[in-house]
Amino acid sequence: MNIIEMKYRKSWGRLQKAMVVTIILCSFLTLSACGADNDDPNTLDVMFFTELPLDLNDDIDAYFDSISDSDDKTVEVHMFLPSAEKLTIEMVAGDGDIYIVDDYMYNIIFDPVILHPLDSVVDGESARGGIDDKYFAIDEDTGDEHIYAVPLDNESQFLQDIQVNHSSSFIAVMMTDRYINQFGLELLEAIN
């Protein structure tokens, strides 16, 4: 066996090992990604990106449980400090069903293509007069106008019930095409 053959065999052996490791790694990633779909149709994930104190998480969780009429559906609250990057990551990952964010994050979260219309949450005809036009948009498929974000300020039932007086207002949106959308609409109606 000459030197060239020895180098070739060593290179081929390393290449084989690298291919085996790559295949194992790809298989692992594929299997873990398939198993990561924990989209429980009975759990409503509410993501907060606000300046509310993070220690309110348990109080807000208990509040949502107290206003829920459903025995088989639960609410899971996730609280984060306002961060455009984190909000974008969570939205792309599809981890939240409802997002409650500081109003200044409107430009990041408001996209009618990915949001569920919230017309049933607000008070019909009076909604147009009392809610900023920026929360309304035209549905590209139907051509109908809908409200896609609901403002939550100190007058909202939610902030009054958890006894928080906050200097800025929030907006609530709900992602479209979720198993739990009807329950989410009921929850948003209760806190509005």
PDB file of all heavy atoms in Angstrom, residues 63 67 151-164 188-192:
ATOM      1  N   TYR A  63     -56.550  34.947  37.845  1.00  0.00           N
ATOM      2  CA  TYR A  63     -57.647  35.776  37.337  1.00  0.00           C
ATOM      3  C   TYR A  63     -58.272  35.136  36.110  1.00  0.00           C
ATOM      4  O   TYR A  63     -59.504  35.019  36.015  1.00  0.00           O
ATOM      5  CB  TYR A  63     -57.133  37.187  37.009  1.00  0.00           C
ATOM      6  CG  TYR A  63     -58.145  38.024  36.264  1.00  0.00           C
ATOM      7  CD1 TYR A  63     -59.262  38.524  36.921  1.00  0.00           C
ATOM      8  CD2 TYR A  63     -57.994  38.296  34.909  1.00  0.00           C
ATOM      9  CE1 TYR A  63     -60.207  39.291  36.234  1.00  0.00           C
ATOM     10  CE2 TYR A  63     -58.922  39.043  34.224  1.00  0.00           C
ATOM     11  CZ  TYR A  63     -60.018  39.546  34.894  1.00  0.00           C
ATOM     12  OH  TYR A  63     -60.955  40.286  34.212  1.00  0.00           O
ATOM     13  N   ILE A  67     -62.275  33.717  35.585  1.00  0.00           N
ATOM     14  CA  ILE A  67     -63.281  34.206  34.643  1.00  0.00           C
ATOM     15  C   ILE A  67     -63.616  33.190  33.563  1.00  0.00           C
ATOM     16  O   ILE A  67     -64.539  33.388  32.778  1.00  0.00           O
ATOM     17  CB  ILE A  67     -62.858  35.537  33.983  1.00  0.00           C
ATOM     18  CG1 ILE A  67     -61.608  35.378  33.130  1.00  0.00           C
ATOM     19  CG2 ILE A  67     -62.700  36.634  35.008  1.00  0.00           C
ATOM     20  CD1 ILE A  67     -61.281  36.593  32.286  1.00  0.00           C
ATOM     21  N   PRO A 151     -57.723  47.570  22.362  1.00  0.00           N
ATOM     22  CA  PRO A 151     -56.943  48.312  23.351  1.00  0.00           C
ATOM     23  C   PRO A 151     -57.367  47.952  24.776  1.00  0.00           C
ATOM     24  O   PRO A 151     -58.547  47.722  25.040  1.00  0.00           O
ATOM     25  CB  PRO A 151     -57.259  49.774  23.031  1.00  0.00           C
ATOM     26  CG  PRO A 151     -58.553  49.753  22.306  1.00  0.00           C
ATOM     27  CD  PRO A 151     -58.654  48.420  21.631  1.00  0.00           C
ATOM     28  N   LEU A 152     -56.397  47.871  25.657  1.00  0.00           N
ATOM     29  CA  LEU A 152     -56.646  47.641  27.086  1.00  0.00           C
ATOM     30  C   LEU A 152     -55.978  48.778  27.847  1.00  0.00           C
ATOM     31  O   LEU A 152     -54.750  48.882  27.845  1.00  0.00           O
ATOM     32  CB  LEU A 152     -56.076  46.296  27.531  1.00  0.00           C
ATOM     33  CG  LEU A 152     -56.626  45.042  26.875  1.00  0.00           C
ATOM     34  CD1 LEU A 152     -55.825  43.819  27.292  1.00  0.00           C
ATOM     35  CD2 LEU A 152     -58.085  44.856  27.208  1.00  0.00           C
ATOM     36  N   ASP A 153     -56.773  49.622  28.476  1.00  0.00           N
ATOM     37  CA  ASP A 153     -56.219  50.718  29.267  1.00  0.00           C
ATOM     38  C   ASP A 153     -56.730  50.596  30.699  1.00  0.00           C
ATOM     39  O   ASP A 153     -57.311  49.578  31.073  1.00  0.00           O
ATOM     40  CB  ASP A 153     -56.564  52.080  28.643  1.00  0.00           C
ATOM     41  CG  ASP A 153     -58.067  52.286  28.479  1.00  0.00           C
ATOM     42  OD1 ASP A 153     -58.859  51.555  29.114  1.00  0.00           O
ATOM     43  OD2 ASP A 153     -58.443  53.178  27.706  1.00  0.00           O
ATOM     44  N   ASN A 154     -56.536  51.612  31.506  1.00  0.00           N
ATOM     45  CA  ASN A 154     -56.939  51.547  32.911  1.00  0.00           C
ATOM     46  C   ASN A 154     -58.447  51.395  33.084  1.00  0.00           C
ATOM     47  O   ASN A 154     -58.908  51.023  34.159  1.00  0.00           O
ATOM     48  CB  ASN A 154     -56.431  52.784  33.665  1.00  0.00           C
ATOM     49  CG  ASN A 154     -54.945  52.701  33.913  1.00  0.00           C
ATOM     50  OD1 ASN A 154     -54.397  51.628  34.137  1.00  0.00           O
ATOM     51  ND2 ASN A 154     -54.263  53.825  33.855  1.00  0.00           N
ATOM     52  N   GLU A 155     -59.215  51.682  32.039  1.00  0.00           N
ATOM     53  CA  GLU A 155     -60.668  51.512  32.089  1.00  0.00           C
ATOM     54  C   GLU A 155     -61.089  50.085  31.739  1.00  0.00           C
ATOM     55  O   GLU A 155     -62.254  49.730  31.904  1.00  0.00           O
ATOM     56  CB  GLU A 155     -61.345  52.491  31.123  1.00  0.00           C
ATOM     57  CG  GLU A 155     -61.021  53.951  31.400  1.00  0.00           C
ATOM     58  CD  GLU A 155     -61.425  54.381  32.801  1.00  0.00           C
ATOM     59  OE1 GLU A 155     -62.546  54.046  33.236  1.00  0.00           O
ATOM     60  OE2 GLU A 155     -60.609  55.053  33.468  1.00  0.00           O
ATOM     61  N   SER A 156     -60.183  49.271  31.242  1.00  0.00           N
ATOM     62  CA  SER A 156     -60.538  47.903  30.854  1.00  0.00           C
ATOM     63  C   SER A 156     -60.841  47.067  32.090  1.00  0.00           C
ATOM     64  O   SER A 156     -60.288  47.288  33.167  1.00  0.00           O
ATOM     65  CB  SER A 156     -59.421  47.257  30.041  1.00  0.00           C
ATOM     66  OG  SER A 156     -58.319  46.980  30.866  1.00  0.00           O
ATOM     67  N   GLN A 157     -61.703  46.107  31.890  1.00  0.00           N
ATOM     68  CA  GLN A 157     -62.104  45.217  32.979  1.00  0.00           C
ATOM     69  C   GLN A 157     -60.898  44.474  33.546  1.00  0.00           C
ATOM     70  O   GLN A 157     -60.765  44.304  34.750  1.00  0.00           O
ATOM     71  CB  GLN A 157     -63.154  44.224  32.473  1.00  0.00           C
ATOM     72  CG  GLN A 157     -63.837  43.441  33.565  1.00  0.00           C
ATOM     73  CD  GLN A 157     -64.670  44.326  34.466  1.00  0.00           C
ATOM     74  OE1 GLN A 157     -65.404  45.183  34.007  1.00  0.00           O
ATOM     75  NE2 GLN A 157     -64.541  44.124  35.760  1.00  0.00           N
ATOM     76  N   PHE A 158     -60.003  44.075  32.682  1.00  0.00           N
ATOM     77  CA  PHE A 158     -58.830  43.303  33.090  1.00  0.00           C
ATOM     78  C   PHE A 158     -57.970  44.071  34.095  1.00  0.00           C
ATOM     79  O   PHE A 158     -57.668  43.581  35.178  1.00  0.00           O
ATOM     80  CB  PHE A 158     -58.015  42.921  31.855  1.00  0.00           C
ATOM     81  CG  PHE A 158     -56.656  42.366  32.156  1.00  0.00           C
ATOM     82  CD1 PHE A 158     -56.517  41.155  32.804  1.00  0.00           C
ATOM     83  CD2 PHE A 158     -55.512  43.051  31.778  1.00  0.00           C
ATOM     84  CE1 PHE A 158     -55.270  40.635  33.073  1.00  0.00           C
ATOM     85  CE2 PHE A 158     -54.260  42.540  32.041  1.00  0.00           C
ATOM     86  CZ  PHE A 158     -54.138  41.327  32.696  1.00  0.00           C
ATOM     87  N   LEU A 159     -57.557  45.287  33.739  1.00  0.00           N
ATOM     88  CA  LEU A 159     -56.675  46.049  34.641  1.00  0.00           C
ATOM     89  C   LEU A 159     -57.396  46.459  35.916  1.00  0.00           C
ATOM     90  O   LEU A 159     -56.777  46.540  36.984  1.00  0.00           O
ATOM     91  CB  LEU A 159     -56.096  47.264  33.913  1.00  0.00           C
ATOM     92  CG  LEU A 159     -55.058  46.927  32.839  1.00  0.00           C
ATOM     93  CD1 LEU A 159     -54.570  48.188  32.135  1.00  0.00           C
ATOM     94  CD2 LEU A 159     -53.892  46.157  33.409  1.00  0.00           C
ATOM     95  N   GLN A 160     -58.697  46.689  35.837  1.00  0.00           N
ATOM     96  CA  GLN A 160     -59.448  47.007  37.050  1.00  0.00           C
ATOM     97  C   GLN A 160     -59.522  45.792  37.969  1.00  0.00           C
ATOM     98  O   GLN A 160     -59.348  45.916  39.185  1.00  0.00           O
ATOM     99  CB  GLN A 160     -60.852  47.495  36.693  1.00  0.00           C
ATOM    100  CG  GLN A 160     -60.865  48.876  36.079  1.00  0.00           C
ATOM    101  CD  GLN A 160     -62.268  49.321  35.696  1.00  0.00           C
ATOM    102  OE1 GLN A 160     -63.260  48.672  36.015  1.00  0.00           O
ATOM    103  NE2 GLN A 160     -62.349  50.443  35.000  1.00  0.00           N
ATOM    104  N   ASP A 161     -59.775  44.625  37.395  1.00  0.00           N
ATOM    105  CA  ASP A 161     -59.921  43.417  38.204  1.00  0.00           C
ATOM    106  C   ASP A 161     -58.620  42.974  38.860  1.00  0.00           C
ATOM    107  O   ASP A 161     -58.641  42.447  39.975  1.00  0.00           O
ATOM    108  CB  ASP A 161     -60.489  42.274  37.368  1.00  0.00           C
ATOM    109  CG  ASP A 161     -61.973  42.461  37.065  1.00  0.00           C
ATOM    110  OD1 ASP A 161     -62.610  43.355  37.658  1.00  0.00           O
ATOM    111  OD2 ASP A 161     -62.486  41.716  36.208  1.00  0.00           O
ATOM    112  N   ILE A 162     -57.497  43.145  38.178  1.00  0.00           N
ATOM    113  CA  ILE A 162     -56.230  42.755  38.815  1.00  0.00           C
ATOM    114  C   ILE A 162     -55.647  43.916  39.633  1.00  0.00           C
ATOM    115  O   ILE A 162     -54.573  43.797  40.193  1.00  0.00           O
ATOM    116  CB  ILE A 162     -55.188  42.232  37.804  1.00  0.00           C
ATOM    117  CG1 ILE A 162     -54.757  43.289  36.808  1.00  0.00           C
ATOM    118  CG2 ILE A 162     -55.682  40.980  37.122  1.00  0.00           C
ATOM    119  CD1 ILE A 162     -53.538  42.893  35.994  1.00  0.00           C
ATOM    120  N   GLN A 163     -56.394  45.018  39.678  1.00  0.00           N
ATOM    121  CA  GLN A 163     -56.059  46.193  40.489  1.00  0.00           C
ATOM    122  C   GLN A 163     -54.682  46.758  40.151  1.00  0.00           C
ATOM    123  O   GLN A 163     -53.850  46.991  41.025  1.00  0.00           O
ATOM    124  CB  GLN A 163     -56.177  45.868  41.971  1.00  0.00           C
ATOM    125  CG  GLN A 163     -57.573  45.435  42.341  1.00  0.00           C
ATOM    126  CD  GLN A 163     -57.694  45.012  43.789  1.00  0.00           C
ATOM    127  OE1 GLN A 163     -56.704  44.891  44.503  1.00  0.00           O
ATOM    128  NE2 GLN A 163     -58.915  44.779  44.223  1.00  0.00           N
ATOM    129  N   VAL A 164     -54.494  46.985  38.850  1.00  0.00           N
ATOM    130  CA  VAL A 164     -53.254  47.587  38.384  1.00  0.00           C
ATOM    131  C   VAL A 164     -53.596  48.876  37.667  1.00  0.00           C
ATOM    132  O   VAL A 164     -54.461  48.913  36.809  1.00  0.00           O
ATOM    133  CB  VAL A 164     -52.500  46.635  37.418  1.00  0.00           C
ATOM    134  CG1 VAL A 164     -51.348  47.345  36.741  1.00  0.00           C
ATOM    135  CG2 VAL A 164     -52.002  45.416  38.161  1.00  0.00           C
ATOM    136  N   LEU A 188     -61.132  37.249  25.780  1.00  0.00           N
ATOM    137  CA  LEU A 188     -60.907  38.653  25.429  1.00  0.00           C
ATOM    138  C   LEU A 188     -62.156  39.493  25.679  1.00  0.00           C
ATOM    139  O   LEU A 188     -62.064  40.649  26.092  1.00  0.00           O
ATOM    140  CB  LEU A 188     -60.448  38.781  23.975  1.00  0.00           C
ATOM    141  CG  LEU A 188     -59.015  38.357  23.702  1.00  0.00           C
ATOM    142  CD1 LEU A 188     -58.732  38.370  22.200  1.00  0.00           C
ATOM    143  CD2 LEU A 188     -58.033  39.256  24.431  1.00  0.00           C
ATOM    144  N   GLU A 189     -63.323  38.933  25.416  1.00  0.00           N
ATOM    145  CA  GLU A 189     -64.564  39.658  25.687  1.00  0.00           C
ATOM    146  C   GLU A 189     -64.715  39.929  27.178  1.00  0.00           C
ATOM    147  O   GLU A 189     -65.151  41.006  27.593  1.00  0.00           O
ATOM    148  CB  GLU A 189     -65.742  38.847  25.169  1.00  0.00           C
ATOM    149  CG  GLU A 189     -67.042  39.619  25.178  1.00  0.00           C
ATOM    150  CD  GLU A 189     -68.168  38.848  24.494  1.00  0.00           C
ATOM    151  OE1 GLU A 189     -67.881  38.002  23.622  1.00  0.00           O
ATOM    152  OE2 GLU A 189     -69.310  39.105  24.855  1.00  0.00           O
ATOM    153  N   ALA A 190     -64.318  38.974  28.006  1.00  0.00           N
ATOM    154  CA  ALA A 190     -64.443  39.126  29.460  1.00  0.00           C
ATOM    155  C   ALA A 190     -63.478  40.173  30.014  1.00  0.00           C
ATOM    156  O   ALA A 190     -63.799  40.854  30.993  1.00  0.00           O
ATOM    157  CB  ALA A 190     -64.210  37.790  30.145  1.00  0.00           C
ATOM    158  N   ILE A 191     -62.308  40.335  29.409  1.00  0.00           N
ATOM    159  CA  ILE A 191     -61.324  41.272  29.971  1.00  0.00           C
ATOM    160  C   ILE A 191     -61.412  42.657  29.351  1.00  0.00           C
ATOM    161  O   ILE A 191     -60.790  43.593  29.824  1.00  0.00           O
ATOM    162  CB  ILE A 191     -59.889  40.741  29.844  1.00  0.00           C
ATOM    163  CG1 ILE A 191     -59.408  40.718  28.388  1.00  0.00           C
ATOM    164  CG2 ILE A 191     -59.754  39.396  30.502  1.00  0.00           C
ATOM    165  CD1 ILE A 191     -57.948  40.399  28.220  1.00  0.00           C
ATOM    166  N   ASN A 192     -62.181  42.814  28.288  1.00  0.00           N
ATOM    167  CA  ASN A 192     -62.257  44.090  27.580  1.00  0.00           C
ATOM    168  C   ASN A 192     -63.043  45.130  28.367  1.00  0.00           C
ATOM    169  O   ASN A 192     -64.032  44.975  28.922  1.00  0.00           O
ATOM    170  CB  ASN A 192     -62.859  43.882  26.190  1.00  0.00           C
ATOM    171  CG  ASN A 192     -62.757  45.117  25.345  1.00  0.00           C
ATOM    172  OD1 ASN A 192     -61.934  45.965  25.583  1.00  0.00           O
ATOM    173  ND2 ASN A 192     -63.615  45.185  24.377  1.00  0.00           N
TER     174      ASN A 192
END
